[in-house]
Amino acid sequence: MTKLIKIAALSFLSLALASPAVAVEYTKGQITKIDAKQQKLTIKHGALKNLDMPAMTMVFKVSDEKMLAKAKEGKNIEFVADRVKGKLTVVEMK
């Protein structure tokens, strides 16, 4: 039985490693407001395809407060947003 579990685990691992990485799609946007206390950014953005959302202006949490140090109102950015614990969150920003 242990041998069967090891074979299954190795098979799963080899499939996971062989799968191509999912490409991250950045969305263009502009920071319109920064709320450092709440760790939120208001961003006027293009369509968020991964969230099936049209272009609009909305508030996002940031996944890492270090992003706030790079953020400036009026700055054009490219970012990745996703739902984290049910909240729309910027998970990557450049």
Side-chain angles (χ1 to χ4, degrees):
M1 186 65 141
T2 318
K3 197 173 198 177
L4 183 61
I5 292 171
K6 286 180 184 178
I7 291 171
L10 287 173
S11 297
F12 178 75
L13 181 61
S14 65
L15 284 174
L17 294 175
S19 299
V22 176
V24 176
E25 187 171 334
Y26 284 83
T27 301
K28 292 183 180 185
Q30 183 180 48
I31 299 170
T32 60
K33 183 179 176 185
I34 300 168
D35 183 345
K37 186 175 180 180
Q38 297 293 317
Q39 296 187 351
K40 294 181 180 181
L41 296 174
T42 303
I43 304 173
K44 180 179 179 181
H45 61 80
L48 297 169
K49 293 179 185 176
N50 64 318
L51 296 171
D52 196 28
M53 291 184 157
M56 65 177 85
T57 301
M58 58 189 302
V59 178
F60 296 88
K61 298 269 304 167
V62 292
S63 63
D64 185 348
E65 66 183 74
K66 292 177 186 174
M67 290 181 195
L68 296 172
K70 299 177 188 176
K72 303 277 186 256
E73 288 184 15
K75 182 177 181 179
N76 291 321
I77 60 168
E78 291 185 33
F79 71 103
V80 177
D82 207 349
R83 290 188 191 278
V84 177
K85 297 180 183 177
K87 306 240 185 248
L88 292 172
T89 305
V90 175
V91 293
E92 291 185 43
M93 185 173 75
K94 58 181 182 177

